[in-house]
Amino acid sequence: MTDLCGIELEHPIVNASGTWDAIAALRAFGDDVIERFPFAAFVSKTITLQPRQGNPPPRLWETAAGLINSIGLPNKGLAGYLEHDLPVLARLPVPLIVNVMGFTRDEVATLVEAVAERDEVAGLELNVSCPNVESGLIMGADPRETAALVERVRPLTAKPLIVKLTPNATDPPAVAEAAQAAGADAVSLVNTLRGMALHPRTGEPWLGAGTGGVSGPAIRAIALAQVAQVAERVSVPVVGMGGVETGAHARALLRAGATAVAVGTESFRDPRAGARVAEELGQLLRKERVSAAT
Amino acid sequence: MTDLCGIELEHPIVNASGTWDAIAALRAFGDDVIERFPFAAFVSKTITLQPRQGNPPPRLWETAAGLINSIGLPNKGLAGYLEHDLPVLARLPVPLIVNVMGFTRDEVATLVEAVAERDEVAGLELNVSCPNVESGLIMGADPRETAALVERVRPLTAKPLIVKLTPNATDPPAVAEAAQAAGADAVSLVNTLRGMALHPRTGEPWLGAGTGGVSGPAIRAIALAQVAQVAERVSVPVVGMGGVETGAHARALLRAGATAVAVGTESFRDPRAGARVAEELGQLLRKERVSAAT
Amino acid sequence: MNRTLAPFERRTGTVEAVEGLGAYRRLRCTDPGGPAPRPGQFYMVALAERWGAGDDERPYLPRAFSYLRWADGTLEFLLEDVGPGTHRLAEARPGEPIHLLGPLGAGFAPVREDRRPLLVGGGIGIVPLLPLRAEMEGGVLLGFRDAEHAVAADLFDDPTVCTDDGSTGHHGLVTELLDDRLDEPVEVYACGPPAMLEAVRLMTGERGVPAQLALESGMACGFGACFGCVVPTRDGYVRVCVDGPVLEAAGLEAVPAH
Amino acid sequence: MNRTLAPFERRTGTVEAVEGLGAYRRLRCTDPGGPAPRPGQFYMVALAERWGAGDDERPYLPRAFSYLRWADGTLEFLLEDVGPGTHRLAEARPGEPIHLLGPLGAGFAPVREDRRPLLVGGGIGIVPLLPLRAEMEGGVLLGFRDAEHAVAADLFDDPTVCTDDGSTGHHGLVTELLDDRLDEPVEVYACGPPAMLEAVRLMTGERGVPAQLALESGMACGFGACFGCVVPTRDGYVRVCVDGPVLEAAGLEAVPAH
Ligand SMILES: Cc1cc2nc3c(=O)[nH]c(=O)nc-3n(C[C@H](O)[C@H](O)[C@H](O)COP(=O)(O)OP(=O)(O)OC[C@H]3O[C@@H](n4cnc5c(N)ncnc54)[C@H](O)[C@@H]3O)c2cc1C
Ligand SMILES: Cc1cc2nc3c(=O)[nH]c(=O)nc-3n(C[C@H](O)[C@H](O)[C@H](O)COP(=O)(O)OP(=O)(O)OC[C@H]3O[C@@H](n4cnc5c(N)ncnc54)[C@H](O)[C@@H]3O)c2cc1C
Ligand SMILES: Cc1cc2nc3c(=O)[nH]c(=O)nc-3n(C[C@H](O)[C@H](O)[C@H](O)COP(=O)(O)O)c2cc1C
Ligand SMILES: Cc1cc2nc3c(=O)[nH]c(=O)nc-3n(C[C@H](O)[C@H](O)[C@H](O)COP(=O)(O)O)c2cc1C
Ligand code: FES
Ligand code: FES
């Protein structure tokens, strides 16, 4: 049993937001998805106040041991999510964590309030990797911006608030400290690193949005360093992620100070990667206990 | 011919600082190194005012499509470099760019003045990826710090000053703009991304220094994005680097706005990688000219 | 029903044979416990070992492939070597373990009342038409670059074949052959390169002929998780992997070039 | 002279054979245009294709290997499969292109006046001793984990062999055998695991016996470019790849465990 700021998890492995769509999986795999759900909690893809179509394709580029994506947060918007998705997600056998993002503090506040009041929701994750359209600053890259945001929404709910940090920042530990001081119950990292690729023939940017975010094994060592530095500086639990493919990778993040570990891109290669990583991690931890005892 | 802020290059490919030691190469390969030098300019490893032993081993960790290093800038110090290394490096058939780093602005000033006055030196590269021991800030992560440093040393020499940016920053383009405004003749990027690895058995940090810097293909897409963003914001030439293994990778950085391209970790796999990349790049550019003409 | 649910498991089969078929490679492997797919569905495929270390250290993600044949416990794919993933698969050795996820997506729908199916394939796009042809009578028009690629047409019985260079069959584009048939009461089932499918979409649209297009798109996951494979439709972007790959031409805004 | 200069070129040979030798694998390849190396020198080796995509998507960098034999145009290596790089090489197929850089580093120095060479090897560390033995008469003490590893001792003529588990030869550590010989006027030439070399360093130091140790160290480049392979000596860190791999025991602060 893992306690993630009050959210009870069967094991420490959850999905990374935006890398697993339980509703689409039900269409592809049927109810097995519910009976054999691979994660200890389900983190929904980022929802915004208004519906979003997302970025123009192409949205994907495969890079060395990694993926660049420019999905652009397509989603049904708050109302659509609450009406259509939430009832289906309530069928999942695990706690539901809803990831939200807004372009102003008020927007985030509206989202947090409306989502938190729903009983199906165990906790919220704030995606602060986007610019504040008022200040122009990336909310999650600036400690003051992050603090102001968390202070604004903290009073709106007693449910766990997880702040998801961006790695595209000079000092993620400072941002994490600011989030904690402002009342965040946990922090999660890393989000994707800004990346780019050019069309092999035309030389123009390949991705419809020009640039995207890098994920997968290519960022594993960078993620581990940031998780370790953040965990050293905050006392709230840390959800570590970035390139996790095996139980050993998850173990490394736990050693670095993470309480839970999220599996993202690896799920694209294996839809049940979460369950496999959890299994491998469990075996590693048992082995360690045995050799420690003897 | 490539003109890098006044430094004439036979082709656009140079070495990345700290990834090619011409003096050691002479010991391993003999004078062929001089007769068939693989780069259009030689960029020396960072030198500091005082001699440095560097970090305790282990200093290397191989990660997915990349390398993490914690070398720690071992060098003979300014005096040792000028007395022992410079005379040997003067034998190289290409322009010499000396990379320097200091822990205070005065230290950097001393280095720049002493190095720039030597005729063997064609230009200087300022490694600003380290903390200013006075302000505690990473010089190259903060636009004001960078501007203050460049303003301090700019008057000391008429020779080209290249500021090497760190990717571990929220807004590298802002730092580049500040460097340009303060009188930098060019900027180079990216340096390594902060990364970490744990010992496979003990779980303790593998690297003697705890963390290190990630280089190689794993950071290629991240480097390309930063080079493109910086090149868009500054008018001075940009030296692009990060994971370059082939002429196509160099071509992408040139398209993104770079004037020259540095080859780093790939030289560890092939000591003449620079010459190969230059050759492949030349073929690509010729092909493009032909198909453009027809 | 045009969608067989995939087992919720990336399963591991064994490569049995990889042989050339004209310009293409045919890969046969075991599919332990895999259900019978529907024509137009696809699989996400990756070799279990040494998947990577090709050009630019790729492939990393699995690749999407329509199935050429499925017979209890055995799958066949037809591959065109266009990059590191298909190259690695084209070099697979018998006995190698191979990861399979699928069948995925929505296949072709039954033909409409009072219409005869007309199957139109271009290049490697002929693949999903073979299992479809086994289920419905109807004409088959196949276009290829040249005779070497057209060898794959032998998989079909009496198809009408054309090549861009005239090295075999009619000299010209398959869409030219299609044009002559659009006055008949047909329903078009097409798969091929984007340019061909876009032409089919426009032609059938003008002539009011229903058409089902099996699209391709760069995919990371194949089961709706990444939102990366979208194409623009009249009601916004849809995911080719779960809402397609077979989509009604009438619903599409365009067939994207990528 | 204990250092042959390497051609300034990563050259590409061809794998001719890979066979088992007890617990180890022996790889033979062509070495087009490579010069004769000196005992104790090494090569940076990587297969030209599919170098990567093993555990954790590795290997990425080439790996360092002493040479077991060199005869005009042909190189032999002995490998212990301990990770993705050695694993890939152990699986190499005849005909595969293989990248070679070398010979690199400084090999063993001639024996001192009035001293007889005593060669001491542990495990895979016996490799550089074979070409050395061909150049100098003297005793050979070899230690292995067990009989399966000790098979490699057959490469030498009449070595004294011991195993940790006593499954063949003397039961015990090679350093115990060495201890009995240190009163003789010998010069020790040793290569093996860090713990063994550290023991040799301390023993020979106490008894005032000169010893040359062939060290290992994690390497990225092998030609002094990365400063990654350093070991601590009495005059600071030195690079094993250019100042070594053979270093005088007396000059070392310690033989690092990594
Ligand atoms: C539903 C479906 C069914 C398919 N059925 C078949 C089939 O039956 N047979 C068959 O041969 N193919 C089929 N394909 C196509 C097949 O999936 C692609 O050819 C394959 O994924 C190419 O992978 P690759 O690594 O070989 O080449 P890649 O290089 O990955 O892809 C080739 C193309 O992708 C683009 N590209 C180049 N580099 C990158 C990069 N780094 N990241 C992303 N894109 C890049 C370029 O446009 C290039 O032309 C199908 C695709 C789909 C979606
Ligand atoms: C001069 C010299 C001569 C040598 N001669 C021989 C020889 O003749 N025969 C022979 O078999 N070997 C020889 N070696 C050792 C050989 O180079 C290593 O065994 C090889 O590099 C291991 O690579 P790997 O990928 O197989 O395993 P790796 O996993 O790279 O290395 C195994 C060890 O390295 C560490 N390690 C684990 N993961 C990593 C990582 N990601 N990055 C860095 N280190 C890691 C661990 O301690 C592990 O036990 C020699 C080494 C040197 C320096
Ligand atoms: C295709 C894709 C879509 C993503 N969408 C979101 C998202 O909607 N919200 C979010 O907070 N993170 C999103 N992420 C980031 C992941 O949650 C995760 O932080 C990142 O991918 C690193 O983990 P990984 O290397 O295991 O994939 C997305 C990542 C990918 C690859
Ligand atoms: C082993 C190693 C040592 C390095 N030493 C230096 C250095 O002394 N000074 C410096 O400015 N950059 C140094 N770098 C960074 C490189 O110059 C380059 O910015 C980085 O490696 C990215 O390029 P690459 O991916 O092609 O290696 C070093 C990199 C490596 C791998
Ligand atoms: S391929 Fe991931 S959603 Fe379609
Ligand atoms: S291995 Fe690079 S300096 Fe020795």
Side-chain angles (χ1 to χ4, degrees):
Chain A
M1 268 298 183
T2 299
D3 173 346
L4 176 62
C5 53
I7 305 172
E8 291 262 302
L9 305 178
E10 276 289 333
H11 57 72
I13 308 302
V14 304
N15 68 296
S17 174
T19 65
W20 223 88
D21 180 338
I23 295 172
L26 281 165
R27 291 172 64 197
F29 307 115
D31 282 347
D32 249 29
V33 168
I34 292 169
E35 281 138 39
R36 303 171 57 225
F37 197 69
F39 303 104
F42 180 69
V43 182
S44 71
K45 187 168 174 61
T46 295
I47 63 169
T48 51
L49 194 52
Q50 302 305 326
R52 288 169 60 91
Q53 275 292 318
N55 291 331
R59 294 175 170 185
L60 301 171
W61 177 265
E62 188 180 70
T63 183
L67 171 69
I68 317 179
N69 83 84
S70 64
I71 307 301
L73 306 179
N75 76 98
K76 296 174 180 155
L78 177 62
Y81 178 81
L82 295 176
E83 184 186 344
H84 301 110
D85 293 2
L86 203 50
V88 184
L89 298 177
R91 294 178 54 207
L92 299 177
V94 298
L96 175 63
I97 296 169
V98 180
N99 178 301
V100 300
M101 187 184 88
F103 298 93
T104 66
R105 282 175 208 141
D106 290 345
E107 246 184 61
V108 180
T110 309
L111 284 156
V112 168
E113 219 166 0
V115 170
E117 75 177 21
R118 296 293 295 257
D119 299 339
E120 304 93 326
V121 178
L124 291 88
E125 185 173 52
L126 305 184
N127 178 355
V128 292
S129 305
C130 70
N132 176 335
V133 293
E134 289 150 333
S135 70
L137 294 170
I138 304 290
M139 293 185 183
D142 182 69
R144 282 171 306 287
E145 277 280 342
T146 305
L149 175 67
V150 176
E151 279 159 11
R152 172 81 169 79
V153 300
R154 176 69 281 181
L156 304 176
T157 178
K159 288 187 177 172
L161 279 181
I162 305 167
V163 174
K164 182 159 184 185
L165 308 173
T166 170
N168 305 301
T170 303
D171 193 357
V175 177
E177 278 182 331
Q180 170 175 286
D185 300 295
V187 296
S188 58
L189 69 159
V190 295
N191 209 318
T192 55
L193 280 102
R194 203 182 302 102
M196 183 182 192
L198 302 184
H199 192 297
R201 286 182 300 279
T202 67
E204 293 303 306
W206 171 268
L207 297 167
T211 64
V214 181
S215 64
I219 70 166
R220 187 185 303 137
I222 299 165
L224 183 64
Q226 293 202 4
V227 167
Q229 288 178 316
V230 164
E232 214 170 69
R233 292 264 292 272
V234 298
S235 54
V236 294
V238 173
V239 182
M241 69 192 95
V244 172
E245 295 181 298
T246 67
H249 300 150
R251 182 70 185 97
L253 285 166
L254 294 181
R255 277 196 200 281
T259 297
V261 169
V263 171
T265 305
E266 178 65 3
S267 291
F268 300 161
R269 311 204 309 165
D270 173 2
R272 307 197 76 254
R276 195 190 77 239
V277 169
E279 170 63 29
E280 292 167 357
L281 176 63
Q283 281 166 8
L284 281 175
L285 295 173
R286 276 188 295 279
K287 259 209 221 102
E288 286 173 25
R289 266 187 240 98
V290 170
S291 56
T294 57
Chain B
M1 269 299 181
T2 299
D3 174 346
L4 177 62
C5 54
I7 305 172
E8 292 261 304
L9 305 178
E10 275 289 334
H11 57 72
I13 308 302
V14 304
N15 68 296
S17 174
T19 64
W20 223 88
D21 180 339
I23 295 171
L26 282 164
R27 291 172 63 197
F29 306 116
D31 281 348
D32 249 30
V33 168
I34 291 169
E35 280 139 40
R36 303 170 57 224
F37 197 69
F39 304 103
F42 180 68
V43 182
S44 71
K45 186 166 175 62
T46 295
I47 62 168
T48 51
L49 194 52
Q50 303 305 327
R52 288 169 59 90
Q53 276 292 321
N55 292 330
R59 294 176 168 185
L60 301 171
W61 177 264
E62 186 181 72
T63 182
L67 172 68
I68 318 179
N69 83 83
S70 63
I71 306 302
L73 308 178
N75 76 98
K76 297 175 179 153
L78 177 61
Y81 179 81
L82 295 178
E83 184 186 345
H84 301 109
D85 292 2
L86 203 50
V88 183
L89 298 177
R91 294 176 54 206
L92 299 178
V94 298
L96 176 62
I97 297 169
V98 180
N99 179 300
V100 300
M101 187 183 87
F103 297 92
T104 67
R105 282 174 209 144
D106 290 344
E107 248 185 55
V108 180
T110 309
L111 285 156
V112 168
E113 221 165 0
V115 169
E117 75 177 18
R118 296 293 295 258
D119 298 340
E120 304 92 328
V121 178
L124 290 88
E125 183 173 55
L126 305 183
N127 178 357
V128 292
S129 304
C130 70
N132 177 335
V133 292
E134 290 150 333
S135 71
L137 293 171
I138 303 290
M139 292 187 184
D142 181 68
R144 281 171 307 286
E145 276 281 340
T146 306
L149 175 67
V150 176
E151 280 159 10
R152 172 80 169 77
V153 300
R154 174 70 284 181
L156 305 176
T157 179
K159 287 187 177 172
L161 280 179
I162 305 167
V163 174
K164 182 160 184 182
L165 306 174
T166 169
N168 304 303
T170 302
D171 193 356
V175 177
E177 278 183 332
Q180 169 176 283
D185 300 294
V187 295
S188 57
L189 69 160
V190 294
N191 209 316
T192 55
L193 280 102
R194 202 181 303 105
M196 184 181 191
L198 303 184
H199 191 295
R201 287 182 299 279
T202 68
E204 293 303 305
W206 171 267
L207 297 168
T211 64
V214 182
S215 63
I219 70 166
R220 188 185 303 136
I222 298 165
L224 182 64
Q226 293 202 6
V227 167
Q229 288 178 315
V230 164
E232 214 170 69
R233 293 263 290 274
V234 298
S235 55
V236 294
V238 174
V239 181
M241 70 192 92
V244 172
E245 296 182 297
T246 67
H249 300 150
R251 182 71 186 97
L253 285 166
L254 294 181
R255 278 195 199 281
T259 297
V261 169
V263 172
T265 305
E266 179 64 3
S267 291
F268 301 161
R269 310 203 311 165
D270 174 3
R272 307 198 75 255
R276 177 174 47 79
V277 169
E279 171 62 29
E280 291 167 358
L281 176 62
Q283 282 168 7
L284 279 175
L285 295 171
R286 277 190 295 279
K287 260 211 220 98
E288 286 173 24
R289 267 188 238 97
V290 170
S291 56
T294 57
Chain C
M1 176 48 197
N2 54 358
R3 186 197 299 265
T4 296
L5 292 182
F8 185 39
E9 200 81 66
R10 177 184 71 177
R11 56 196 183 277
T12 304
T14 305
V15 174
E16 290 187 331
V18 185
E19 63 232 334
L21 180 68
Y24 305 111
R25 304 278 292 172
R26 190 193 338 210
L27 184 152
R28 194 176 77 243
C29 64
T30 63
D31 177 20
R38 301 289 306 140
Q41 286 194 287
F42 70 98
Y43 294 78
M44 295 301 284
V45 180
L47 288 166
E49 289 158 15
R50 308 212 181 293
W51 188 248
D55 289 359
D56 293 348
E57 299 79 28
R58 300 168 52 221
Y60 160 59
L61 297 160
R63 301 300 197 242
F65 297 95
S66 308
Y67 70 99
L68 183 69
R69 288 211 178 88
W70 184 90
D72 198 27
T74 306
L75 261 170
E76 265 181 54
F77 300 104
L78 193 67
L79 317 171
E80 180 171 18
D81 181 346
V82 299
T86 48
H87 184 70
R88 174 73 178 94
L89 284 165
E91 280 188 341
R93 289 198 167 75
E96 275 200 72
I98 184 168
H99 288 316
L100 299 167
L101 182 72
L104 296 164
F108 294 104
V111 65
R112 288 169 167 74
E113 285 286 325
D114 333 315
R115 288 193 175 265
R116 271 182 287 107
L118 180 59
L119 283 49
V120 184
I124 193 68
I126 66 170
V127 175
L129 302 182
L130 191 68
L132 180 66
R133 183 69 182 68
E135 296 202 354
M136 44 176 69
E137 285 306 313
V140 177
L141 313 179
L142 306 178
F144 298 93
R145 235 161 297 167
D146 52 34
E148 195 198 358
H149 288 80
V151 170
D154 303 346
L155 294 164
F156 295 78
D157 37 66
D158 64 79
T160 309
V161 174
C162 62
T163 53
D164 303 355
D165 67 356
S167 52
T168 185
H170 303 256
H171 187 173
L173 300 173
V174 69
T175 43
E176 294 162 16
L177 297 179
L178 174 62
D179 195 52
D180 308 338
R181 308 285 300 274
L182 289 179
D183 300 332
E184 305 169 19
V186 294
E187 174 162 10
V188 175
Y189 292 79
C191 184
M196 170 198 140
L197 292 182
E198 179 64 2
V200 172
R201 186 184 70 86
L202 293 168
M203 293 165 65
T204 54
E206 280 166 12
R207 316 276 284 271
V209 175
Q212 302 181 31
L213 310 183
L215 300 182
E216 286 192 7
S217 176
M219 292 186 175
C221 71
F223 59 97
C226 74
F227 281 83
C229 61
V230 297
V231 292
T233 70
R234 305 213 182 285
D235 19 280
Y237 291 125
V238 304
R239 285 168 287 183
V240 170
C241 68
V242 281
D243 300 316
V246 177
L247 293 168
E248 288 286 339
L252 290 172
E253 286 280 348
V255 177
H258 290 107
Chain D
M1 174 47 193
N2 55 358
R3 186 197 298 266
T4 297
L5 292 183
F8 185 38
E9 199 81 67
R10 178 184 70 179
R11 55 199 185 275
T12 304
T14 305
V15 175
E16 290 186 332
V18 185
E19 309 132 4
L21 179 69
Y24 305 111
R25 305 276 294 172
R26 186 187 349 203
L27 185 151
R28 193 177 77 243
C29 65
T30 62
D31 177 21
R38 300 292 304 140
Q41 286 193 289
F42 69 98
Y43 294 78
M44 295 301 284
V45 180
L47 288 166
E49 288 158 15
R50 308 212 181 296
W51 190 250
D55 287 0
D56 292 348
E57 298 81 29
R58 301 168 52 220
Y60 160 60
L61 297 160
R63 300 300 195 244
F65 296 95
S66 307
Y67 70 100
L68 183 69
R69 287 209 178 88
W70 184 91
D72 200 29
T74 306
L75 260 171
E76 265 182 55
F77 299 103
L78 193 68
L79 316 173
E80 180 171 16
D81 179 346
V82 299
T86 47
H87 184 70
R88 174 72 179 94
L89 285 163
E91 280 187 342
R93 290 200 168 73
E96 276 199 69
I98 183 168
H99 288 317
L100 300 167
L101 183 72
L104 296 165
F108 295 102
V111 64
R112 287 169 168 72
E113 285 286 325
D114 332 312
R115 288 195 176 261
R116 272 181 286 107
L118 178 59
L119 281 51
V120 183
I124 194 69
I126 66 171
V127 175
L129 303 182
L130 191 67
L132 181 66
R133 182 73 182 67
E135 298 203 354
M136 44 175 73
E137 282 308 310
V140 178
L141 311 179
L142 305 179
F144 297 93
R145 235 160 298 166
D146 52 33
E148 193 197 359
H149 289 80
V151 171
D154 302 346
L155 294 164
F156 295 78
D157 37 63
D158 64 85
T160 309
V161 174
C162 61
T163 53
D164 304 354
D165 67 356
S167 51
T168 185
H170 303 257
H171 187 172
L173 300 173
V174 70
T175 42
E176 294 160 15
L177 298 179
L178 175 61
D179 194 50
D180 307 337
R181 308 284 300 271
L182 289 180
D183 300 329
E184 305 169 18
V186 295
E187 174 162 10
V188 175
Y189 292 80
C191 185
M196 169 198 140
L197 292 183
E198 179 64 2
V200 172
R201 185 183 72 85
L202 294 168
M203 292 164 66
T204 53
E206 281 165 14
R207 314 276 284 272
V209 175
Q212 301 183 32
L213 309 183
L215 301 182
E216 287 193 6
S217 175
M219 292 186 174
C221 70
F223 59 95
C226 74
F227 280 82
C229 62
V230 297
V231 292
T233 71
R234 305 212 183 285
D235 20 277
Y237 292 125
V238 304
R239 287 168 286 182
V240 170
C241 68
V242 282
D243 299 314
V246 177
L247 293 168
E248 286 288 338
L252 290 172
E253 286 279 349
V255 177
H258 291 107

